[in-house]
Amino acid sequence: MSFRRTYPDANFGEYTFSANKKKIDLQYVYNLLCTPSRYSTGLPAERFPFIIKNSVCFGVFYEGKQVGFSRVITDYSEFASLWDVFIDDEHRGKGVGKALMKYLFSHYSLQGIFRWFLMTEDAHGLYQKYGFKTEAYNPYVMMKVNSG
């Protein structure tokens, strides 16, 4: 018996979004986050399992293959930080990122969070649609404050 509520998968055209960590392609996410690349955080491989375990994770799938990912680090009340929002190049420009954001922000565990943070170099326009504003002290940092 499980008391943990599940969050249902959602569809956007031919894409499926899931918050089920069992569906995450760990090799895909490992290659995305831990191997040197433009999107890499440079984390050592031995720390990789903690990324998934300690985050609310979201996968994007096309024809059964993972093509996107994002995660949220949160205390489920006052603070949430959005990380690693990624859609593979060939699936960009089709509204998949916007649909992922809608799915993510609808997650029951993330409702009512007071303050959201994220860092981005190039997707300010996407996040502004969800209430994020660029911080004056650092143009890479964006914040969203909910009024309650």
Side-chain angles (χ1 to χ4, degrees), residues 1-7 21 76 108:
M1 177 185 283
S2 174
F3 294 100
R4 181 173 266 179
R5 203 167 129 196
T6 59
Y7 186 56
K21 290 181 185 181
Y76 300 100
Y108 66 87

Side-chain angles (χ1 to χ4, degrees), residues 91-146:
H91 299 279
R92 292 182 185 174
K94 300 176 181 181
V96 179
K98 291 176 193 165
L100 173 59
M101 292 296 92
K102 182 179 176 184
Y103 178 71
L104 183 152
F105 286 120
S106 296
H107 193 289
Y108 66 87
S109 292
L110 303 177
Q111 299 305 302
I113 292 174
F114 177 66
R115 191 178 314 259
W116 284 82
F117 294 93
L118 66 84
M119 293 180 68
T120 186
E121 293 181 8
D122 57 7
H124 293 82
L126 171 65
Y127 302 117
Q128 287 168 346
K129 293 175 183 173
Y130 297 92
F132 284 90
K133 293 180 174 41
T134 302
E135 291 295 299
Y137 65 90
N138 186 335
Y140 295 120
V141 175
M142 298 185 79
M143 186 168 53
K144 170 181 166 177
V145 178
N146 292 320

